Amino acid sequence: TEATARVTGGEVVEITLAPAEESHIAGQAIALSVVWEDDDLIVIDKPAGLVVHPGPGNADGTLVNALIHHCGASLSGVGGMLRPGIVHRIDKETSGLLVAAKTDRAHQGLAAQFAAHDVERHYMALCHGVPDKGDPRLRGVEGVSFEAGGILRIEANLDRHRADRQKQAVTPHGGRHAVTRVRVEEAFGTPPACAL
């Protein structure tokens, strides 16, 4: 039928989608630490130093290249191209679990959960200095507050850095709304006294 035809009750509409094309990104035999895999999902323990997506300066040798090789034809066809459905990122120098969809249905479901902020992510980091609500450097900083139990809350909008497009930065307008909560698991040494 014509694209402008009106639909009335009781009609059956059939849509035929073209099969997903092979990706222009080549699969590469890169060792993966697979934590979970089934017909719909794969969870990878990404090591520090591994870039997730190909891009400027990292045309290959990425997690996407490894997943294309590992998963073969059992990949999502979202956007008309066979590729792993990665809906979240982990920075190159960060290690941790990364979930990728192998089917369109799983990809759409994961994307919806991340968009609705229904997914919680937990990170551990070793830092120099301990967030303290008595520290004058934190007073009055927009979006910074403390919650019960000494939890530091940072609320800001994130977008691509203006000068370095490979990085994220806090932006006053636009971007994606983000809330980060920080809790000290263990402090080492004696914290310096805060000068008021």
Side-chain angles (χ1 to χ4, degrees), residues 32-120:
L32 292 174
S33 176
V34 179
V35 175
W36 172 265
E37 184 174 10
D38 59 24
D39 292 342
D40 297 305
L41 298 170
I42 185 166
V43 180
I44 303 297
D45 186 1
K46 186 192 92 60
L50 180 63
V51 173
V52 175
H53 290 278
N58 297 290
D60 60 10
T62 69
L63 180 62
V64 168
N65 296 106
L67 286 170
I68 288 172
H69 178 268
H70 176 85
C71 298
S74 66
L75 288 176
S76 169
V78 171
M81 184 170 294
L82 290 174
R83 61 186 170 82
I86 298 175
V87 295
H88 66 109
R89 292 179 181 232
I90 299 178
D91 291 341
K92 174 183 177 182
E93 296 306 331
T94 303
S95 63
L97 300 181
L98 192 135
V99 181
K102 293 169 60 177
T103 65
D104 293 347
R105 192 183 87 188
H107 190 199
Q108 291 164 356
L110 285 172
Q113 289 177 54
F114 275 89
H117 300 283
D118 290 341
V119 178
E120 285 189 19

Side-chain angles (χ1 to χ4, degrees), residues 15-26:
I15 299 172
T16 304
L17 298 175
E21 298 175 11
E22 289 292 322
S23 174
H24 65 283
I25 302 169

